[in-house]
Amino acid sequence: MSTVSRGWSPILEGEDATRAQRAIRDLSGRALEQADPRDHSLASGTAGLSILLTALGRFAEAEDAITTAFDTCAAGEPTASLYAGMAGIGWAANYYASIARRAPVDDPRLPIDEALVELLADWTWAGDYDLISGLVGVGVYGLARGQDSGEAIVELVVERLAQGAEPRSTGLTWRTPPEELVAEQRTQAPSGFDNLGVAHGVPAVISFLAQAAAGAHGAESARLVEGAFDWLRAQQLGPDSPSAFAYWTGPEAYGDPARAAWCYGDPGIAAALMVAAACARRTDWQRFAVELADRAAARPAETSGVDDAGLCHGAAGLGHLFNRCFQATGSTRYADVARSWFRVAIDMLDRDADNFGFLGGDAGVALALLSATSDARPRWDAVLAISPARP
């Protein structure tokens, strides 16, 4: 079943919808009031806030947030990062242009495109390949951007991923070197490890490469994504594990079974693989993704590790992931699980009143609730690698 061709329908109705709409108003007001103009990032700053404002149709405020983000970033030491740097600001501006049907005032995309192409052309491989801060995140922006500059970005990202891919007996992967690990992880994996989460690991690579292969970057992207999918599928834990995947795997040891979340764990992986399966038109990949989502849906809530409402590893994130799985497959089981997590998220909101950003706070929760109460297919979650970057 395709994640692209199905329509979109709201899953919250009645009292659930009323509570969600009230929460969206409160959260968006709080996020706007508490935004720190010194933080330009998509993860927690003005670039992420602009995504919420755009989705709400508050275009003048969204433009102001994009301009603030770009000016603040340019005044410092810009990085390429999707969640902390130029690619995220470019993505926010591109999202605005697609929804508002006009470019933002002082459009930052062209200077960002030029800077990213220059950086990628000189990029020395050092293992920084992930969605949050590395190559894949920049590639997601390139896919969304399209046009000549976007295509150039995607082509360069594919080249760099090919350069860093490591063949294994079951396929190929991308290693996170020990110098990028925290001390505890280096003790467990002194030669580095292979990351199994969407935020920092191979599942987002698969989502990106499948989308690139469906466009103008076919042969090399298809080779890489085929090998990566085979490798990832071989990393599953046993049936008695609370999750199918660990946080990471390496030559010295496996990481612990992962929590249920977007950043790490089965729900995020399943949603990312559904995108890949649809783009590659692979029914076997889709079957695997559905089996994984079924396992995640059956996991008891008390073992999930959820302790906040945010997108990254919280209740609204799980609600949105299972909503994505429902919209992709039509399985009402996922819709029921999504509703239960959205109720948990709303109940948590007063407690989680100190994080206002996209990835872990109010802006992201509001976007997830907006998508649960709307019949408009969301585009904002392409930055999570769980929907096509190019609508």
Side-chain angles (χ1 to χ4, degrees):
M1 299 177 185
S2 171
T3 58
V4 176
S5 61
R6 291 182 57 87
W8 188 274
S9 57
I11 63 166
L12 297 183
E13 300 175 333
E15 180 60 21
D16 284 337
T18 299
R19 293 183 71 209
Q21 289 158 358
R22 186 183 306 120
I24 292 166
R25 289 193 297 270
D26 293 344
L27 290 166
S28 57
R30 198 163 70 183
L32 186 59
E33 179 182 343
Q34 299 294 331
D36 183 353
R38 298 168 298 180
D39 182 351
H40 61 263
S41 71
L42 187 151
S44 59
T46 48
L49 176 63
S50 76
I51 296 174
L52 172 60
L53 293 169
T54 297
L56 292 171
R58 295 165 63 170
F59 296 141
E61 293 165 299
E63 285 197 40
D64 288 344
I66 291 166
T67 299
T68 298
F70 181 67
D71 290 347
T72 305
C73 181
E77 297 180 359
T79 68
S81 166
L82 180 63
Y83 275 82
M86 292 184 290
I89 298 168
W91 196 94
N94 208 68
Y95 175 69
Y96 171 91
S98 70
I99 301 297
R101 299 186 181 278
R102 63 174 186 262
V105 175
D106 300 322
D107 191 345
R109 288 176 295 174
L110 283 177
I112 286 173
D113 293 351
E114 292 171 359
L116 290 175
V117 169
E118 183 177 350
L119 281 171
L120 288 166
D122 295 332
W123 193 295
T124 300
W125 180 261
D128 194 9
Y129 70 89
D130 71 355
L131 176 69
I132 293 288
S133 59
L135 287 167
V136 170
V138 178
V140 165
Y141 167 62
L143 285 171
R145 181 74 169 107
Q147 303 183 22
D148 292 341
S149 56
E151 295 294 341
I153 289 169
V154 173
E155 182 176 355
L156 286 165
V157 169
V158 172
E159 288 179 7
R160 297 296 172 260
L161 287 172
Q163 177 186 343
E166 296 187 3
R168 302 290 168 81
S169 60
T170 55
L172 57 85
T173 186
W174 289 263
R175 185 175 61 95
T176 303
E179 56 269 22
E180 294 192 14
L181 305 180
V182 299
E184 181 181 352
Q185 292 171 332
R186 283 197 301 272
T187 300
Q188 296 175 288
S191 61
F193 61 44
D194 303 318
N195 195 299
L196 297 172
V198 175
H200 297 289
V202 174
V205 184
I206 292 172
S207 175
F208 164 73
L209 286 171
Q211 294 178 67
H217 310 277
E220 184 69 333
S221 298
R223 178 186 72 83
L224 292 171
V225 74
E226 182 89 27
F229 194 100
D230 289 346
W231 176 86
L232 180 69
R233 185 163 42 189
Q235 307 312 308
Q236 294 178 88
L237 302 173
D240 295 332
S241 170
S243 64
F245 288 97
Y247 289 97
W248 51 267
T249 179
E252 290 90 10
Y254 263 85
D256 295 330
R259 67 196 305 168
W262 167 77
C263 53
Y264 288 96
D266 299 349
I269 297 171
L273 295 185
M274 286 185 185
V275 175
C279 290
R281 302 182 183 276
R282 291 288 297 265
T283 57
D284 55 332
W285 291 7
Q286 177 72 358
R287 283 194 299 272
F288 177 75
V290 169
E291 290 169 3
L292 186 59
D294 285 346
R295 180 169 176 170
R299 184 172 183 171
E302 58 270 19
T303 72
S304 66
V306 169
D307 57 11
D308 66 42
L311 286 180
C312 183
H313 46 257
L318 283 175
H320 187 67
L321 289 167
F322 285 111
N323 191 11
R324 266 286 169 195
C325 292
F326 163 66
Q327 306 290 346
T329 66
S331 172
T332 57
R333 178 187 189 185
Y334 301 141
D336 291 340
V337 175
R339 291 186 193 102
S340 68
W341 280 116
F342 280 128
R343 292 175 189 132
V344 171
I346 292 172
D347 288 341
M348 286 181 165
L349 293 182
D350 288 338
R351 193 185 75 187
D352 291 343
D354 60 350
N355 189 325
F356 312 103
F358 170 81
L359 192 56
D362 290 355
V365 176
L367 281 162
L369 292 172
L370 187 64
S371 296
T373 55
S374 171
D375 60 2
R377 178 181 297 279
R379 301 180 191 177
W380 59 266
D381 57 356
V383 292
L384 300 173
I386 61 170
S387 69
R390 186 173 297 165

